[in-house]
Amino acid sequence: MMQDSDEEILDVIRMLSLDNLDVRTVTMGISLLDCADDDIQRACERIENKITAYAADLVNTADEVGGELGVTVVNKRLSVTPISLVAAACRTTDLVPFAHALDRAGKAVGVDFVGGFSALVDGGAAPADDALMHAIPQALAETDIVCSSVNVASTRSGINMDAVALMGQQVKQAAELTAAVDGLGAAKLVVFCNAVGNNPFMAGAFHGVTMPDAVVSVGISGPGVVERALRGVRGRSFDECAEVIKRAAFKITRMGQLVGQTVADRLGVDFGIVDLSLAPTSAVGDSVAAILEELGVESVGAPGTTAALALLNDAVKKGGLMACSSVGGLSGSFIPVSEDINMIHAVERGSINIQKLEAMTAICSVGLDMIAIPGDTAPATIAGLIADEAAIGLSTGKTTAARVIPVPGKGVGESAQFGGLLGFAPIMEVSDFSSQVFASRGGRIPAPAHWFKN
């Protein structure tokens, strides 16, 4: 028994030292519902005071725990109650000051990102929701670490096509207002179907209204761990591949839970969830696409890619659920183009396109993620991409999203540089055929019949 335990410890050490295993994020979620006020200045002051009170020691504690356990905590983040809910009491149409308050508070406590400049409009938009959506481009252009999300659809409510059309315009404007940095504003904006309120990953993180006043959640990573495990079963059956992925996911999740629970205990707040998504980076050896290629496709995007992704996601979930009872968030495999070096190479060699990525999003954790498209892409085309992703989420009951960046002044054959974890991305071709009539219809695409389960 001791030998088995020793071997497991050595295996985790190898994961940490050789396979880029890390905790991608420790994220503190904070409720801002009690910060609402009819005076926007007082509301913003309350927000800053509450965030700085709860999160003052977040960064130091996460780094301290990571150091003690020998694991790198890459990002420390905050997620807050969707700001449209907090701002409703102000009865103002200018919500940009809330973004500035979040930016100041996040910088004061030293976090990398703050998520929650958000609205939930799948069932329809209240005045504060409309105000927030219209404020997004300016808010993202004038802040550094604030991220924004809008939930435009759900399996229970259908797709709010008025919101979809508006967000097509807002994505384009967010990119144009940050043209000097390749449209980075749009990289901090995600449009959801079936958004979840306990997601530690940006840009879509926000603190759900049913959650405690403050929680700590963890987003783990580890594509390199899974890829190495699969090298040991080359030439063997998919059954054996699934088993080794499950065992690797179990160990990764255990480590993430230990980090998150320890940080939460030391900060005196509740532990939330482990999001066991495989999140890649642009570093060699830290790629989800490389896992799919290890499973047998010559280059990600080749026939068989979606099936390989389905096996990977299922095995990751099964292994993670065995390791931790508090699994949540998105939990699966991210396939962002800009953040995955093998995905970038696949785009450059032409083995994958937006159509294939869309098919893969029926399986993966989120959707069309960190995809650079030509800067002259029409807002209606962007709205069409959003609607297509929402339709997949609507029909499958899973979370889907679109985070596309129309890079100002650039086209196919060029690349966008976002820096840090956001990486760089070759600009991908988008259909030249118009979605203008489709996007301008408005109204609602109804919820599917199978949503009704009461």
Side-chain angles (χ1 to χ4, degrees):
M1 184 70 178
M2 181 60 73
Q3 289 179 340
D4 290 341
S5 179
D6 289 346
E7 180 56 37
E8 287 183 359
I9 292 169
L10 290 171
D11 198 30
V12 172
I13 291 171
R14 283 192 293 267
M15 291 177 181
L16 293 168
S17 60
L18 301 176
D19 301 325
N20 297 306
L21 177 60
D22 55 47
V23 170
R24 183 56 47 87
T25 175
V26 170
T27 300
M28 176 179 280
I30 302 174
S31 173
L32 301 182
L33 290 174
D34 57 353
C35 298
D37 195 285
D38 60 2
D39 182 278
I40 190 169
Q41 184 175 347
R42 283 198 301 266
C44 288
E45 288 174 357
R46 289 177 178 179
I47 286 170
E48 290 188 63
N49 290 338
K50 186 164 187 181
I51 288 175
T52 53
Y54 266 116
D57 297 323
L58 173 64
V59 172
N60 288 338
T61 303
D63 287 338
E64 180 182 85
V65 171
E68 291 172 6
L69 298 175
V71 57
T72 301
V73 179
V74 178
N75 264 202
K76 279 70 68 175
R77 303 169 178 174
L78 299 174
S79 64
V80 300
T81 306
I83 288 297
S84 68
L85 301 179
V86 183
C90 296
R91 304 184 189 279
T92 178
T93 57
D94 180 13
L95 302 192
V96 175
F98 283 99
H100 286 294
L102 295 177
D103 201 53
R104 288 192 298 269
K107 289 174 178 175
V109 299
V111 296
D112 298 282
F113 291 107
V114 182
F117 196 76
S118 307
L120 311 176
V121 299
D122 48 299
D129 298 318
D130 276 324
L132 186 131
M133 288 188 285
H134 281 92
I136 286 172
Q138 183 183 350
L140 296 181
E142 294 182 0
T143 59
D144 297 313
I145 61 174
V146 172
C147 294
S148 180
S149 61
V150 178
N151 191 66
V152 299
S154 67
T155 299
R156 283 184 171 268
S157 298
I159 306 175
N160 181 344
M161 288 302 296
D162 293 310
V164 168
L166 175 58
M167 290 312 300
Q169 298 169 11
Q170 300 306 83
V171 169
K172 182 70 177 279
Q173 189 179 0
E176 290 175 344
L177 290 179
T178 53
V181 282
D182 281 348
L184 182 64
K188 298 188 291 179
L189 170 60
V190 60
V191 186
F192 275 118
C193 172
N194 293 324
V196 293
N198 60 344
N199 161 29
F201 283 105
M202 299 297 169
F206 62 88
H207 187 70
V209 295
T210 62
M211 298 173 70
D213 207 37
V215 299
V216 165
S217 295
V218 169
I220 60 173
S221 187
V225 174
V226 175
E227 183 190 357
R228 179 173 66 84
L230 284 171
R231 291 191 205 122
V233 290
R234 282 179 176 170
R236 301 184 192 174
S237 72
F238 283 116
D239 308 79
E240 292 180 80
C241 293
E243 288 302 313
V244 299
I245 294 171
K246 284 193 291 184
R247 288 196 292 270
F250 180 93
K251 294 171 185 175
I252 295 169
T253 306
R254 280 288 201 200
M255 184 203 68
Q257 182 182 24
L258 176 60
V259 171
Q261 186 70 66
T262 305
V263 172
D265 289 345
R266 292 188 185 178
L267 293 174
V269 301
D270 291 334
F271 175 62
I273 56 96
V274 176
D275 187 320
L276 50 94
S277 298
L278 294 180
T281 71
S282 55
V284 174
D286 202 23
S287 165
V288 171
I291 298 172
L292 305 180
E293 290 165 356
E294 184 62 42
L295 283 167
V297 295
E298 180 180 3
S299 179
V300 66
T305 295
T306 307
L309 183 59
L311 181 147
L312 173 63
N313 255 25
D314 179 69
V316 166
K317 290 177 190 288
K318 287 174 178 174
L321 287 168
M322 283 293 292
C324 175
S325 59
S326 298
V327 169
L330 302 170
S331 288
S333 302
F334 289 155
I335 52 170
V337 171
S338 76
E339 300 170 29
D340 188 314
I341 191 64
N342 285 52
M343 193 72 77
I344 291 168
H345 292 333
V347 173
E348 291 173 338
R349 69 172 67 101
S351 68
I352 197 163
N353 55 29
I354 286 182
Q355 290 75 23
K356 182 61 175 179
L357 282 167
E358 186 179 298
M360 293 167 68
T361 63
I363 304 297
C364 74
S365 282
V366 192
L368 294 174
D369 193 17
M370 286 302 295
I371 294 173
I373 59 177
D376 61 0
T377 303
T381 299
I382 298 171
L385 292 171
I386 293 169
D388 285 344
E389 276 305 304
I392 292 173
L394 192 76
S395 299
T396 61
K398 69 183 290 293
T399 302
T400 55
R403 185 162 54 144
V404 297
I405 304 102
V407 183
K410 293 188 176 181
V412 176
E414 298 178 273
S415 64
Q417 300 287 335
F418 302 119
L421 281 178
L422 298 179
F424 69 98
I427 295 172
M428 301 184 72
E429 184 177 4
V430 179
S431 174
D432 290 330
F433 292 93
S434 175
S435 304
Q436 184 61 50
V437 174
F438 172 81
S440 64
R441 282 184 180 272
R444 177 174 302 280
I445 293 178
H450 66 252
W451 81 265
F452 191 72
K453 298 179 180 180
N454 290 341

